[in-house]
């Protein structure tokens, strides 16, 4: 607050008695970062302003450093790796996070022989599942998972395996409806009956009608479960021809 100072001498002690020089600072300095301290240690500081005439009275302060952050370590292995085939072309892989050591992510590897693994995916630290949709039907796949961080790789997880089921057969057009029959039950009604196709999934039928047996026109579209239809749009003393087409997608 009085007398021009030209600088400071900063001194440090660990016992509060014996001080050693730490730094000489300029007159305009108002702070100093001491990066030469050890963790969990109390340090005492005294500051002496000076000029050409001499030293000012000493001011003092103290501080205690925190415990050092633990050195990072590689994570432990991921837990409970499991694989389940959910379709002929999909296997779902699940796991639990390592129990210790911060992990930054995972590398998932796959093999079909249980010996030679190849990289499949790199996953984030928060992931606990992966759907593998690059598999083939009727094939066994083995998986292993490696947790990692900046320090290195965790031990391998226990491996898991799954076998994909047989692929669904490609859909085919249905065979023809069976035993189509028509019976006139009144002057203005003909009942048409049939049996379902013996193979190929059908989703419905188209019933067509003709009076000359050559040129047919649509009469009705029916569901897959129908096995009869009553045609009430006929005229007395007339001959009608029917054909039935089963269909699917």
């Amino acid at each position: 607050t009085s007398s021009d100072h030209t600088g400071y001498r900063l001194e440090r002690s660990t016992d509060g008695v014996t001080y050693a020089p730490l730094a000489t600072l300029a007159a305009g300095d108002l702070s100093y970062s001491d990066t030469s301290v050890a963790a969990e240690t109390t340090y005492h500081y005294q500051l002496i302003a000076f000029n050409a005439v001499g030293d000012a009275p000493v001011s003092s302060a103290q501080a205690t450093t925190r415990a050092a952050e633990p050195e990072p370590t590689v994570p432990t292995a991921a837990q409970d790796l499991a694989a389940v085939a959910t379709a002929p072309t999909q296997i779902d892989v699940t796991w639990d996070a390592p129990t210790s050591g911060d992990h930054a992510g995972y590398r998932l590897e796959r093999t079909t022989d249980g010996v030679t693994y190849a990289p499949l995916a790199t996953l984030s630290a928060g992931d606990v599942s992966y759907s593998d949709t690059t598999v083939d039907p009727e094939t066994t796949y083995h998986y292993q998972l490696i947790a990692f961080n900046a320090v290195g790789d965790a031990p391998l997880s226990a491996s898991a395996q799954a076998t994909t089921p047989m692929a669904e057969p490609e859909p085919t057009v249905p065979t023809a409806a069976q035993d189509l029959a028509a019976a006139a039950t009144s002057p203005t009604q003909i009942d048409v009956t049939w049996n379902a196709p013996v193979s190929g999934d059908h989703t419905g039928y188209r019933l067509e009608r003709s009076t000359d047996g050559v040129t047919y026109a649509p009469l009705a579209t029916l569901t897959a479960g129908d096995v009869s239809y009553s045609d009430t749009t006929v005229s007395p003393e007339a001959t009608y021809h029917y054909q039935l087409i089963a269909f699917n997608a």
Side-chain angles (χ1 to χ4, degrees):
T1 59
S2 64
S3 298
D4 291 337
H5 63 289
T6 56
Y8 301 96
R9 288 195 311 276
L10 181 63
E11 299 177 346
R12 186 180 72 185
S13 169
T14 55
D15 61 9
V17 177
T18 305
Y19 285 81
L22 179 62
T24 300
L25 306 169
D29 290 336
L30 295 173
S31 64
Y32 178 80
S33 293
D34 184 1
T35 58
S36 62
V37 295
E40 297 182 87
T41 305
T42 298
Y43 291 89
H44 305 260
Y45 297 89
Q46 61 185 18
L47 187 68
I48 305 120
F50 64 86
N51 61 17
V53 178
D55 294 346
V58 171
S59 62
S60 62
Q62 73 178 54
T64 301
T65 51
R66 299 193 306 266
E69 296 293 329
E71 288 293 320
T73 60
V74 296
T76 54
Q79 305 292 302
D80 302 321
L81 186 68
V84 177
T86 55
T89 56
Q90 180 170 327
I91 293 175
D92 289 343
V93 185
T94 60
W95 61 89
D96 291 330
T99 56
S100 64
D102 289 338
H103 63 289
Y106 302 97
R107 290 195 308 276
L108 182 62
E109 299 179 344
R110 185 184 74 183
T111 179
T112 54
D113 62 11
V115 178
T116 305
Y117 284 82
L120 178 63
T122 299
L123 307 166
S124 70
D127 289 332
V128 290
S129 66
Y130 179 80
S131 292
D132 183 3
T133 57
T134 63
V135 295
D136 294 321
E138 297 182 88
T139 306
T140 298
Y141 292 88
H142 306 257
Y143 297 88
Q144 64 185 17
L145 189 68
I146 304 122
F148 66 86
N149 62 17
V151 179
D153 292 347
L156 289 173
S157 67
S159 63
Q161 71 180 59
T163 302
T164 50
M166 181 175 64
E168 295 293 327
E170 290 294 320
T172 59
V173 296
T175 54
Q178 305 293 300
D179 305 321
L180 185 67
T185 56
S186 77
T188 57
Q189 180 172 325
I190 295 175
D191 289 344
V192 184
T193 60
W194 62 90
N195 290 321
V198 295
S199 64
D201 290 337
H202 64 290
T203 56
Y205 301 97
R206 289 194 305 276
L207 182 62
E208 299 178 348
R209 186 181 71 184
S210 170
T211 54
D212 61 11
V214 177
T215 304
Y216 284 82
L219 178 62
T221 299
L222 308 166
T223 69
D226 290 333
V227 290
S228 65
Y229 178 79
S230 293
D231 182 4
T232 58
T233 62
V234 295
S235 300
E237 298 183 78
T239 298
Y240 293 89
H241 305 260
Y242 297 88
Q243 63 183 19
L244 188 67
I245 304 114
F247 65 84
N248 62 16

